[in-house]
Amino acid sequence: MARSIQGFISSSTSKPTKKGRNRPGRPGNEELPGKLVEQSETRELTIEEALELAILLQKNAYSNLGVLLRATGKPSEAEAAYRTAIQLNPAHIDAYTNLGILLNGLKRTEEAAACFCKVITLRPKHREARKLLALAHCTLGEIGEAVNIFQEWLKDEPGDPIALHMLAACTGRDVPKRASNGFVERTFDSFASSFEAKLQRLSYRAPALVAAMLEDSRLERLKRLDVLDAGCGTGLCGPLLAPYARRLIGVDLSEGMLVHAKEKNVYDALVKVELTDYLRDNSEAFDLIVAADTLVYFGDLEGVLATAARALRPNGLLVFTLEHAVGGETDVDYHLESHGRYSHAAVYVERVLAFAGLQPEIAHAELRMESGAPVAGLVIRATKSVPARR
């Protein structure tokens, strides 16, 4: 029991508050729980210290309870828990952030923006709050406000990859052909530990859709194929691909994600590398390449699909998902959406695959929920043609 309580206390402890806000010689309020528990192992706490520990743990407990309630599909109860945490501690940054995310998902965007504003007031350079507040302004049609946030961010941190990418997504100017390595690494390293829980709340279906497409291809599960999980993330596709693979390789740019993929115990190798570079160096190395929710960080698909085609053996399969560009301009091949991922036109995808020597089959599906609405997607299976004999 003591060990589980210690684990809870550790998970409830945040960074210390700024110097000068606490009594001399005492740790910051958010640091106190762990400090006091450590001291209690060698001495008896005073009544004052014991009361302070109980109050601080209660404050964090309500915020953590809100996370659990949201994860189990109880948004009203989660909101109440977050608001209780804020009542107990009006400077509770995590509670404000989580409440804002919850409210945004409930389409209460203005209330969400107010939460993110409060976080930035408490911690002016809080990156995630800046990003979320800017996205809320975009949703409300207040593009100018969002641009101001990203420009201010870039003044504080020139060249920040997340601020640069999201500014391009917000304005439609200087849109990169793909998300930079820095954007991908920083984004996914920052929430690798909560990635799977977050996707579960979003009814994330990409791995299941990929598995269904493989099932439809009538590939036999005989562990005879060399398989690449391209952009493997935390390894959600790994167990679905393992029955086909005599050798299963996972590649990703995020070290944090690869740590969790390793825990799945299904990969023969995990490699931290940019995808196009890896494909270029592995000509005709794979019978099957899968990219679930990976190519949404590429706008221009020509390079990555050409290298994927070369990395496949004859009759090899490439199975991947994309977000579908629906509405808007009909002659646009791809679009960088305000959330930072790219959507693609189906006709563009077909054209690029054909040019790469791949024969496509494209299905339409809903990939996940985003801000309470389904995300339209494409699930593609492409076969590498066998060269004609002369």
Side-chain angles (χ1 to χ4, degrees):
M1 178 64 73
R3 183 174 298 175
S4 64
I5 292 173
Q6 176 67 49
F8 170 77
I9 291 168
S10 298
S11 69
S12 302
T13 306
S14 304
K15 293 181 180 178
T17 54
K18 292 183 178 179
K19 292 180 181 178
R21 293 186 180 179
N22 310 298
R23 284 173 288 170
R26 296 296 301 272
N29 283 347
E30 294 177 350
E31 189 183 26
L32 265 172
K35 293 281 187 184
L36 290 176
V37 169
E38 289 175 10
Q39 292 173 23
S40 71
E41 295 176 354
T42 56
R43 68 175 177 84
E44 189 171 321
L45 297 180
T46 66
I47 292 176
E48 179 194 28
E49 288 172 332
L51 286 171
E52 196 164 7
L53 175 59
I55 292 168
L56 288 167
L57 286 177
Q58 185 185 32
K59 292 175 182 177
N60 284 319
Y62 277 106
S63 181
N64 292 339
L65 176 62
V67 172
L68 292 172
L69 288 167
R70 180 171 175 242
T72 53
K74 298 177 180 177
S76 298
E77 293 88 341
E79 179 180 351
Y82 291 139
R83 292 194 184 280
T84 301
I86 290 166
Q87 280 184 327
L88 290 168
N89 179 9
H92 201 310
I93 286 175
D94 287 347
Y96 275 113
T97 303
N98 288 327
L99 177 59
I101 293 169
L102 172 69
L103 294 172
N104 192 56
L106 296 173
K107 295 186 178 298
R108 292 160 62 183
T109 310
E110 291 184 0
E111 294 175 77
C115 290
F116 302 138
C117 281
K118 183 64 176 180
V119 174
I120 293 172
T121 301
L122 293 168
R123 191 177 295 170
K125 296 183 181 181
H126 193 289
R127 288 171 174 165
E128 186 65 10
R130 278 175 154 174
K131 176 183 171 182
L132 291 169
L133 177 58
L135 288 175
H137 281 304
C138 284
T139 301
L140 294 168
E142 300 167 350
I143 303 301
E145 293 294 330
V147 170
N148 289 340
I149 290 169
F150 290 126
Q151 288 178 338
E152 188 67 29
W153 184 348
L154 287 166
K155 284 181 184 178
D156 293 333
E157 300 180 70
D160 182 274
I162 293 179
L164 284 171
H165 185 85
M166 297 307 296
L167 179 61
C170 183
T171 63
R173 297 193 300 267
D174 300 319
V175 173
K177 290 187 175 182
R178 72 170 180 87
S180 69
N181 290 1
F183 173 83
V184 174
E185 288 186 69
R186 174 91 69 77
T187 297
F188 288 98
D189 280 345
S190 68
F191 71 101
S193 60
S194 61
F195 180 75
E196 294 188 15
K198 179 179 180 181
L199 291 185
Q200 188 175 12
R201 291 195 298 270
L202 297 175
S203 302
Y204 181 65
R205 301 179 62 216
L209 292 168
V210 164
M213 187 64 91
L214 287 174
E215 187 77 23
D216 185 66
S217 71
R218 300 189 179 181
L219 278 181
E220 295 182 327
R221 302 182 181 187
L222 298 176
K223 289 186 172 287
R224 292 179 178 175
L225 305 179
D226 292 323
V227 181
L228 175 66
D229 189 354
C232 63
T234 59
L236 288 173
C237 284
L240 305 174
L241 299 176
Y244 300 98
R246 67 179 174 189
R247 185 176 64 114
L248 177 57
I249 309 298
V251 301
D252 204 280
L253 264 172
S254 168
E255 187 70 44
M257 302 291 265
L258 289 172
V259 168
H260 291 278
K262 186 176 181 180
E263 296 171 355
K264 301 292 190 294
N265 293 315
V266 294
Y267 293 95
D268 296 290
L270 290 164
V271 186
K272 183 183 182 300
V273 66
E274 195 279 317
L275 177 58
T276 309
D277 292 340
Y278 183 84
L279 293 169
R280 188 180 294 116
D281 294 338
N282 287 273
S283 180
E284 295 198 358
F286 297 100
D287 304 294
L288 171 63
I289 298 174
V290 166
D293 232 14
T294 299
L295 301 189
V296 294
Y297 294 98
F298 289 76
D300 185 338
L301 296 175
E302 291 183 18
V304 67
L305 292 182
T307 54
R310 288 194 289 272
L312 283 172
R313 294 170 182 145
N315 288 320
L317 291 181
L318 170 64
V319 179
F320 61 102
T321 63
L322 293 170
E323 294 188 14
H324 188 201
V326 292
E329 300 176 48
T330 57
D331 59 344
V332 172
D333 294 334
Y334 59 86
H335 179 70
L336 179 58
E337 303 289 346
S338 61
H339 49 53
R341 301 186 301 275
Y342 294 86
S343 60
H344 296 82
V347 291
Y348 168 68
V349 178
E350 290 177 338
R351 186 172 73 247
V352 174
L353 286 169
F355 188 77
L358 298 169
Q359 299 174 341
E361 297 177 53
I362 300 179
H364 294 257
E366 293 177 357
L367 299 179
R368 71 174 87 195
M369 300 296 289
E370 185 100 42
S371 299
V375 175
L378 303 172
V379 187
I380 301 102
R381 180 176 68 225
T383 307
K384 183 172 181 177
S385 305
V386 178
R389 294 184 179 180
R390 295 183 178 179

